[in-house]
Amino acid sequence: SGPAVARMEQAVTDAVDALLAPLLRAGGGEAMASVANPLPALVVSWVLGFPAADAGKIMVWGRQGGDLLHGTRDARRIAALLPETIALSAYIDAQIDAACAHGGQGMTGHLAQMIAEGATDRLTARNILLVLVGAAVETTMSLIGNTLRLLVETPGMEARLRAEPGLIPAFIEECTRLESPFKGHYRVVRRPSRLGDVDLEAGDRLMLLWASANRDARAVDNPDALDLLRPNPRKHLAYGHGLHFCLGAALARQEVRVVLERLFAQTDRIALGDGGWALVPSLFVRRLDRLDLRFG
């Protein structure tokens, strides 16, 4: 909820400062491994009630879910990922067991209480936590990285946001729209229907392409532009819609906003470093593998 996310503001700020400190001392460096990747794993660990000391493992596991769906991994790499998936399931089972026996924090503690009340079972609880790890970690890594990339690659954007920090939320929404963390999702048609001018039957499978939807000129004026003055900046589908709307949207927005605010507070200039940036090869996600930044 909004109030719960607001209560995490100081903890997120402290975490961002700690992650940024080595980069700032060095005058820059590779921002994905230093900040964008570890921050979401740490925050998700807090929300789920996992030990903060395990955030490094959650970071690795959170990315590996996407690895299985990239469509660019060979059979050997996929085979190597399967034991890690089993390890994550075993880890979550152990967290649920501990919460059921001794009480727990966060989502795990809440699910343990539901198990005790008979409102859910352990398998359902495990699957909920598995989905949250996979859905929350990699997507927020992507959002932070691509927001920073667009900041340094859009002429005049850094100066404008420093001068008008009230525009930072609109900037984040535009980055989310233009660089949606997931490239698309599958859906199964439940009943005969019509989409545009195409007739669909029950059982048909659709691929919802977020980059296409978020650049639909019928819904977005000048859709390829990064426009901070759109009348409804949250009118995009990067977080899904309706029943499928992202549960962690407010938290993801908070994390990337705090990263920007703390960078602006502690630097005079942010630029792309000589190492540039590169995307993870994937048919599924839009995540940076590396992003080299330099600070002034």
Side-chain angles (χ1 to χ4, degrees), residues 12 14 41 44 71-72 93-94 99 110 147 155 166 188 217 228 231 251:
V12 172
D14 292 343
V44 165
T72 59
D93 283 340
H110 179 66
T147 299
V188 178
L228 301 184
L251 194 57

Side-chain angles (χ1 to χ4, degrees), residues 26 29 35 62 74 77 98 114 119 136-137 164 199 213 223 232 274 290 295:
V35 180
D74 59 23
R77 173 59 178 161
M114 292 178 65
V137 174
E164 300 179 75
D199 291 319
N232 187 0
D274 294 339
R290 71 170 191 274
F295 305 136

Side-chain angles (χ1 to χ4, degrees), residues 22-237:
L23 278 184
L24 293 168
R25 286 195 297 268
E30 205 286 288
M32 295 303 296
S34 300
V35 180
N37 292 344
L39 178 63
L42 181 59
V43 174
V44 165
S45 296
W46 296 339
V47 171
L48 299 187
F50 297 163
D54 293 341
K57 294 190 289 189
I58 297 301
M59 179 180 72
V60 174
W61 282 328
R63 286 183 302 195
Q64 286 174 341
D67 281 348
L68 288 169
L69 300 172
H70 285 328
T72 59
R73 307 306 191 201
D74 59 23
R76 180 178 300 178
R77 173 59 178 161
I78 292 174
L81 289 170
L82 294 178
E84 290 299 321
T85 302
I86 296 170
L88 173 57
S89 296
Y91 174 86
I92 289 175
D93 283 340
Q95 298 302 313
I96 293 172
D97 290 344
C100 288
H102 309 294
Q105 302 297 316
M107 179 66 74
T108 305
H110 179 66
L111 288 169
Q113 183 63 37
M114 292 178 65
I115 292 170
E117 295 170 354
T120 191
D121 56 62
R122 287 173 182 257
L123 178 60
T124 301
R126 178 220 285 172
N127 289 339
I128 289 171
L129 294 173
L130 274 172
V131 169
L132 291 176
V133 168
V137 174
E138 184 164 41
T139 53
T140 311
M141 292 175 179
S142 170
L143 178 61
I144 294 171
N146 280 308
T147 299
L148 291 173
R149 177 178 66 81
L150 288 173
L151 174 72
V152 297
E153 290 196 330
T154 305
M157 185 57 65
E158 179 190 354
R160 186 174 184 186
L161 294 178
R162 286 183 184 274
E164 300 179 75
L167 291 175
I168 290 176
F171 174 65
I172 294 170
E173 294 305 320
E174 280 290 86
C175 293
T176 311
R177 179 181 69 83
L178 291 167
E179 294 287 348
S180 304
F182 285 120
K183 294 186 179 182
H185 284 95
Y186 292 105
R187 294 289 183 266
V188 178
V189 178
R190 301 294 298 273
R191 60 181 181 272
S193 53
R194 189 173 180 83
L195 180 62
D197 57 0
V198 178
D199 291 319
L200 301 171
E201 300 296 332
D204 286 348
R205 295 181 182 274
L206 306 179
M207 181 65 170
L208 307 183
L209 298 174
W210 306 124
S212 177
N214 286 333
R215 289 172 173 78
D216 188 338
R218 295 168 295 183
V220 182
D221 293 333
N222 196 12
D224 292 322
L226 201 167
D227 184 354
L228 301 184
L229 300 179
R230 294 190 186 279
N232 187 0
R234 293 191 176 187
K235 188 181 178 181
H236 59 75
L237 296 174

